[in-house]
Amino acid sequence: MTQPARLDQLPPEMLDFALLKTTGTLAARLGRLSLPGRSNILTPAFLGNTSRGVLPHISPDNFRKLVELEGVYMALEDFVEKHPQKTPPILQFDVPDPLRRFVALPKDTLVVLGARRQPPIATPMSNTNAEVTLSTSVGFRSISSEYYTAAVRKLQPDIVVGLADIPYGQESIGLKRKDKMSDRTESWLRDLIAKRASIEQGDPRFSIFAPILPIDRDLQSWYLEHLVDDMVDQISGVAIYDAYLLDDLPDELHALPRLSCHMPASPQELLRQISLGMDLFTIPFISSATDAGISLDFTFPAPQSAESDSTPRRSLGVDMWLAEHAVAVTPLTEGCACYACTQHHRAYIQHLLSAKEMLGWLLLQLHNHAVLSSFFAGVRASIAAGTFDADVAAFEAFYEPALPAKTGQGPRVRGYQFQSADHGHAARKNPKAFRSLDELAKLKAMHGQQPNRKPQMQDVIDDEALVGLVQMEGVDPAVQLESLKVEDADGDDKA
Amino acid sequence: MAPVPMPSALTFELLAKCSVTKARAATLHLPHGPVPLPIFMPVATQASLKGLTPDQLADTGCRLCLNNTYHLGLKPGQATLEAVGGAHKLQAWPHNILTADSTGSFQMVSLLKLAQVTEEGVRFLSPHDGTPMLLTPEHSISLQNTIGSDIIMQLDDVIATTSPDHARMLEAMQRSVRWLDRCIDAHAHPERQNLFCIIQGGLDLELRRQCTAEMVARDTPGIAIGGLSGGEAKDAYCRVVDTCTGLLPEKKPRYVMGVGYPEDLVVSVALGADMFDCVWPTRTARFGNAITAHGVLNLRNATYATDFRAIEPGCQCPCCRPADAKPPGLGLTRAYIYHVTAKETAGAHLLTMHNVHYQLDLMRRARDAILQDRYPAFVREFFAALYAGDRGKYPEWAVVALRGVGVDLLRE
């Protein structure tokens, strides 16, 4: 339960986690995460899952104005692409609180920093005793535990997730490898704690979340024992890589906040993790729904349905690519208070998607985050009211079990956003923009306002002007004259 | 054809004229509010300015933006526009909209020989399904009436200014005049939408003079100079603008279509033009280029990876304004733009905001200078900053054009 007595024993900048309500060891719980200077976070809650320091599609000014999120997750691998040949730029940014300043994050937003993006991309090289492999926008890199600690100290996030040795992308992991995972994670965490102890009094400190590996308790028992015996006073939370192993968590760690690094694929999976006692999440399916043009459309608790069991279950999202929305001047979700729903309507968003205008993704992203914010508020209210289990059951009965499939085309996919292993066999990530060289040269010659005047314009394809030209290639207008239809019947005889 | 008196849905309030050049400062009162002239109008081709929300666009100071008639006619289409209630409602933009279709797409289409221009209109193939389509002046106006834009443009017959075919140029000019008459006849809402004519005639000053006389006689609320910025030499461009503005009535707004670069704006204002549009500032933003008073910075260049200065120090756009300023800005650095540009869509949004702000602010400062009757000094300062004071680098065309209106850039 709550431990208010501990609060005044803590140094002023330490993270505090108060458990406001627990209903058992493997059960949903309510908490409050607080850190001086930052917004309090009532848990269960979710963090904004950033890419290169921004919530995808949401520029920092819009983040301030239009998004309600108390915390974000960032990945060091998004900032260190030139390592080790060059010192990453952000480590040369010589101001207080450089990471927050660099990405223009508001002062009261909590920053959780980990080594890898959520979800991480499997790397071809494996981790070693000394180094963890990262995937950056320019390729795979390795960093040592010392480097991680030094970078973290420089960047001054509020919370750091300790390095975990997890061989992503490996189908099965041998027993010996699992031993190594636990050994390495233990020594890296010990290192992080020791280095932090060397930070001088008065200098900014960070809180540490200890990784809990996605392997059976027996196999990481050595690590967990040390965690409980030597390090428990030094850590402020745990980062859980397999939510279904939560019952293996040692009792001594129960009062700590739990960050899920086990990516939920659906709201139902989120609820399952919450019902096991998870507190904090990053939710990649929000951005992937946005990119797919899907407007999330669910609430927790689910709406009261008077209908019988035979009615089909409601979809978790609306595919905004569909032409049926083209003239709908209704919000994405009736009653939603987000910017997209209060300022715009389905018709516009459908138009933006089909015209591939970036604003479409921004509006969906704002809405989808607002849907999750309301969802979590509903979860907390339900836990407080003691109706959580029943509400989960009702939710599962009301909604389809998975998000709708993607039909439309998303934004251009970047290399750091997909599995490199897919390169060889999978279909193109992005549709082919141009066909023959001939065509390209012709289009180039015609683009822009002043061909070839400025070197930087020479290679620029006029993407606006090209709309409308596609597929008109090679058609002789004269051939088509016979079948011409006159669009404007009044206009043809007035000359 | 006899001139038809035409109602107008605008008021042109001339505030000051430069005592040296032909520059003018004015306020143009449009159905969705007043806009300051001279003005740069960003191009929201498909009813969206490249990732910016209407609020973000308004925050740059924009009160008049462009939509493209042709693009909106294809997507979302006239039926949808009708159902939604026009382009203002479609994009939730409470300010003014100008719709045009000649500068960009149609010029391209005709240049590519993918369209055929006849007296009836422009024939082309639908990019959706390849069916042959015919766009007539009547259809263009009907579409723009449905769009509900505050300023609508006539359908014109545009050919490349660089075309050597004088007969075709003459035909295009005369046809544009005939099409203007058809547009005027077809215009259903002259009391709330302002039809602008478009002067054609290529680089032939005599054709331009004839066309100007014909079109001025038709008394549209505003006048555009079209067919330019299609690859012609800049000095030829300046002669056309100078010739046309010399023949235009003082009390009407003058819009030079498809322009452009900051130096084009500054010179064109001196030549007596009031309104400009161009996709370049927003397009170049998406390629990582930031417009500054000292030239364009390509922030994808690795030298900016560790440049922790603002995109343009002193700039008042939301990206550049320091976090401790009032009102607070984002205080973003060039290094950050380097970090996100071309990798995150938000990087494009940020530079788009900066570039649009730059263009609007340039015209704001030009207007202030005209109001204080110090536009020649403003022009000198502008070129001195752009070329770091090196007069040897000043473009010849700008020097010549400005000399023609009484400003010698090479002499104090």
Side-chain angles (χ1 to χ4, degrees):
Chain A
M1 289 302 290
T2 325
Q3 297 146 326
R6 269 185 59 194
L7 199 56
D8 27 13
Q9 298 159 12
L10 293 168
E13 65 213 31
M14 282 303 274
L15 189 76
D16 179 60
F17 183 63
L19 274 173
L20 306 176
K21 177 171 183 178
T22 55
T23 53
T25 45
L26 270 180
R29 58 193 207 165
L30 289 177
R32 184 184 59 234
L33 195 69
S34 47
L35 184 69
R38 310 281 179 251
S39 304
N40 284 347
I41 300 181
L42 294 174
T43 62
F46 73 109
L47 303 169
N49 190 21
T50 66
S51 174
R52 302 187 73 73
V54 291
L55 213 49
H57 310 303
I58 300 183
S59 57
D61 54 326
N62 278 335
F63 182 85
R64 287 161 192 232
K65 281 184 282 188
L66 307 177
V67 179
E68 279 178 53
L69 272 178
E70 294 90 14
V72 295
Y73 176 87
M74 292 197 207
L76 185 68
E77 67 185 356
D78 277 348
F79 294 92
V80 294
E81 38 248 321
K82 299 288 162 57
H83 170 78
Q85 289 83 359
K86 280 185 181 164
T87 308
I90 193 159
L91 300 181
Q92 303 175 45
F93 191 25
D94 203 13
V95 296
D97 213 355
L99 180 60
R100 185 180 301 275
R101 286 277 292 275
F102 190 68
V103 303
L105 199 69
K107 280 198 166 55
D108 54 1
T109 307
L110 184 93
V111 176
V112 180
L113 185 75
R116 308 294 319 270
R117 292 166 65 94
Q118 304 273 40
I121 283 166
T123 56
M125 314 101 88
S126 33
N127 298 334
T128 64
N129 285 343
E131 296 197 312
V132 165
T133 315
L134 307 179
S135 162
T136 75
S137 69
V138 296
F140 299 105
R141 298 285 185 271
S142 292
I143 56 164
S144 64
S145 167
E146 288 78 9
Y147 188 89
Y148 187 61
T149 310
V152 155
R153 184 172 167 174
K154 168 79 187 161
L155 297 179
Q156 300 167 21
D158 299 310
I159 295 171
V160 173
V161 179
L163 286 180
D165 178 31
I166 298 172
Y168 291 108
Q170 227 159 289
E171 298 267 308
S172 62
I173 302 168
L175 267 187
K176 275 195 175 155
R177 183 69 186 85
K178 285 181 178 169
D179 263 354
K180 249 190 216 165
M181 285 168 68
S182 133
D183 288 0
R184 286 172 181 171
T185 304
E186 193 265 355
S187 85
W188 293 341
L189 185 65
R190 204 177 274 282
D191 194 37
L192 183 64
I193 290 172
K195 294 273 168 42
R196 186 184 59 172
S198 72
I199 295 178
E200 283 180 30
Q201 204 73 44
D203 282 354
R205 281 163 69 88
F206 47 85
S207 299
I208 297 172
F209 275 25
I212 304 296
L213 298 168
I215 52 178
D216 288 343
R217 181 170 183 164
D218 306 349
L219 294 166
Q220 55 181 326
S221 60
W222 188 77
Y223 164 52
L224 292 178
E225 273 166 34
H226 283 83
L227 197 56
V228 168
D229 294 346
D230 314 340
M231 299 187 269
V232 72
D233 295 339
Q234 303 296 321
I235 62 171
S236 309
V238 288
I240 305 219
Y241 285 84
D242 185 344
Y244 301 113
L245 298 177
L246 258 177
D247 58 342
D248 286 352
L249 194 69
D251 293 346
E252 295 83 346
L253 304 179
H254 273 199
L256 294 173
R258 301 157 179 173
L259 169 69
S260 171
C261 293
H262 182 167
M263 302 301 119
S266 64
Q268 286 86 343
E269 274 190 41
L270 261 178
L271 291 171
R272 248 162 272 151
Q273 292 197 23
I274 291 168
S275 68
L276 294 172
M278 202 67 88
D279 303 308
L280 277 173
F281 297 87
T282 57
I283 309 178
F285 77 66
I286 303 177
S287 288
S288 47
T290 297
D291 287 354
I294 289 165
S295 165
L296 296 179
D297 187 26
F298 54 83
T299 57
F300 191 88
Q304 298 285 333
S305 67
E307 298 131 46
S308 65
D309 293 345
S310 59
T311 51
R313 287 197 278 185
R314 183 94 72 84
S315 171
L316 291 162
V318 180
D319 183 350
M320 288 308 301
W321 276 89
L322 303 180
E324 66 192 59
H325 308 300
V327 292
V329 286
T330 52
L332 293 170
T333 296
E334 210 61 60
C336 176
C338 82
Y339 178 82
C341 288
T342 53
Q343 302 294 313
H344 296 284
H345 42 66
R346 289 183 177 208
Y348 188 43
I349 290 161
Q350 200 273 345
H351 163 68
L352 292 170
L353 288 175
S354 99
K356 301 214 183 60
E357 283 286 344
M358 289 183 280
L359 183 59
W361 298 312
L362 165 63
L363 295 178
L364 282 176
Q365 185 78 315
L366 291 172
H367 172 76
N368 288 345
H369 277 81
V371 167
L372 264 296
S373 289
S374 306
F375 174 86
F376 273 95
V379 163
R380 291 189 299 268
S382 165
I383 298 171
T387 57
F388 185 66
D389 290 341
D391 289 338
V392 170
F395 186 93
E396 289 179 343
F398 190 82
Y399 289 108
E400 284 174 1
L403 291 164
K406 166 177 169 173
T407 60
Q409 206 182 329
R412 194 168 182 81
V413 179
R414 305 288 167 182
Y416 55 90
Q417 295 168 331
F418 61 86
Q419 306 277 338
S420 57
D422 295 349
H423 265 314
H425 44 85
R428 302 187 74 91
K429 295 291 171 211
N430 299 302
K432 225 166 127 186
F434 300 105
R435 282 153 295 172
S436 77
L437 190 63
D438 252 348
E439 185 181 347
L440 184 65
K442 204 169 357 155
L443 293 172
K444 270 188 177 180
M446 292 307 150
H447 92 273
Q449 50 165 7
Q450 285 158 323
N452 304 339
R453 267 200 66 82
K454 295 215 166 175
Q456 74 262 31
M457 292 298 294
Q458 284 173 10
D459 300 328
V460 169
I461 301 300
D462 183 352
D463 41 359
E464 279 96 354
L466 288 184
V467 178
L469 297 186
V470 188
Q471 288 162 7
M472 294 176 74
E473 196 55 29
V475 185
D476 177 6
V479 177
Q480 304 283 349
L481 285 183
E482 294 298 316
S483 53
L484 266 176
K485 88 172 169 233
V486 177
E487 284 253 309
D488 183 348
D490 299 329
D492 49 5
D493 53 5
K494 287 186 208 165
Chain B
M1 175 172 283
V4 185
M6 179 156 214
S8 168
L10 62 76
T11 315
F12 179 78
E13 186 187 352
L14 185 62
L15 298 174
K17 292 199 289 180
C18 174
S19 60
V20 179
T21 68
K22 294 161 79 177
R24 306 122 52 84
T27 300
L28 184 63
H29 299 271
L30 289 168
H32 286 83
V35 297
L37 302 187
I39 193 171
F40 175 79
M41 304 174 286
V43 185
T45 307
Q46 310 190 79
S48 157
L49 192 85
K50 301 305 158 196
L52 301 197
T53 64
D55 291 346
Q56 282 174 303
L57 179 57
D59 283 349
T60 66
C62 177
R63 293 293 178 273
L64 170 57
C65 72
L66 252 76
N67 282 175
N68 191 301
T69 310
Y70 164 76
H71 283 86
L72 291 194
L74 290 173
K75 260 180 202 173
Q78 190 162 9
T80 299
L81 285 161
E82 190 98 47
V84 169
H88 291 90
K89 285 196 177 142
L90 175 73
Q91 61 204 300
W93 174 248
H95 308 295
N96 297 291
I97 297 173
L98 182 155
T99 41
D101 60 12
S102 68
T103 40
S105 48
F106 262 108
Q107 190 173 354
M108 308 285 287
V109 170
S110 51
L111 287 175
L112 273 170
K113 302 205 190 318
L114 291 172
Q116 253 197 357
V117 182
T118 67
E119 193 57 33
E120 281 180 279
V122 185
R123 295 175 194 279
F124 63 101
L125 301 177
S126 160
H128 285 329
D129 49 15
T131 53
M133 318 243 291
L134 175 65
L135 182 69
T136 62
E138 291 75 15
H139 184 238
S140 170
I141 295 299
S142 156
L143 195 48
Q144 295 185 82
N145 283 157
T146 303
I147 289 170
S149 37
D150 301 273
I151 297 175
I152 66 177
M153 305 303 299
Q154 75 158 108
L155 186 70
D156 53 351
D157 183 5
V158 191
I159 62 168
T161 48
T162 46
S163 166
D165 185 348
H166 186 266
R168 174 71 185 94
M169 190 69 81
L170 175 66
E171 183 195 30
M173 184 276 274
Q174 291 171 338
R175 179 173 290 147
S176 293
V177 175
R178 290 193 295 271
W179 282 3
L180 173 60
D181 289 332
R182 287 168 60 187
C183 287
I184 292 172
D185 285 347
H187 187 11
H189 308 303
E191 73 297 341
R192 58 173 193 262
Q193 292 182 282
N194 297 288
L195 173 64
F196 280 29
C197 61
I198 304 174
I199 299 171
Q200 292 294 344
L203 302 179
D204 185 321
L205 300 184
E206 188 43 45
L207 285 187
R208 287 281 179 177
R209 282 190 197 99
Q210 288 173 24
C211 190
T212 305
E214 290 284 343
M215 286 185 164
V216 166
R218 276 140 179 96
D219 197 28
T220 52
I223 295 154
I225 304 172
L228 294 171
S229 73
E232 73 279 356
K234 284 282 184 77
D235 49 355
Y237 159 83
C238 290
R239 280 195 296 274
V240 170
V241 173
D242 191 26
T243 303
C244 292
T245 59
L247 299 169
L248 291 177
E250 189 172 71
K251 295 289 176 62
K252 285 192 178 176
R254 306 154 176 180
Y255 164 29
V256 181
M257 304 180 78
V259 173
Y261 298 124
E263 55 269 42
D264 299 358
L265 300 184
V266 169
V267 172
S268 302
V269 166
L271 298 177
D274 307 315
M275 304 168 68
F276 311 93
D277 79 283
C278 189
V279 296
W280 171 74
T282 43
R283 183 195 302 150
T284 208
R286 300 198 293 286
F287 298 107
N289 293 317
I291 311 174
T292 78
H294 305 285
V296 174
L297 306 178
N298 182 352
L299 296 179
R300 290 175 79 179
N301 190 307
T303 54
Y304 296 111
T306 55
D307 189 337
F308 298 109
R309 286 175 291 174
I311 302 165
E312 176 159 38
C315 169
Q316 290 302 305
C317 87
C319 307
C320 294
R321 210 164 53 225
D324 52 12
K326 282 203 171 120
L330 296 171
L332 296 176
T333 60
R334 295 172 181 184
Y336 175 74
I337 301 294
Y338 172 86
H339 182 74
V340 291
T341 195
K343 293 204 167 74
E344 290 295 331
T345 57
H349 304 171
L350 293 167
L351 273 187
T352 300
M353 254 191 297
H354 170 84
N355 285 357
V356 169
H357 178 274
Y358 178 87
Q359 299 282 93
L360 286 164
D361 187 56
L362 178 67
M363 290 294 94
R364 255 193 302 265
R365 289 184 288 122
R367 187 172 187 266
D368 288 346
I370 299 164
L371 288 172
Q372 296 160 18
D373 200 13
R374 42 169 220 89
Y375 193 66
F378 174 84
V379 175
R380 286 174 199 284
E381 288 155 20
F382 170 82
F383 277 96
L386 186 57
Y387 294 97
D390 184 353
R391 291 183 188 177
K393 287 190 179 152
Y394 287 8
E396 175 81 21
W397 65 268
V399 171
V400 171
L402 288 167
R403 197 178 282 146
V405 289
V407 179
D408 193 337
L409 283 183
L410 303 181
R411 278 197 290 178
E412 256 343 300

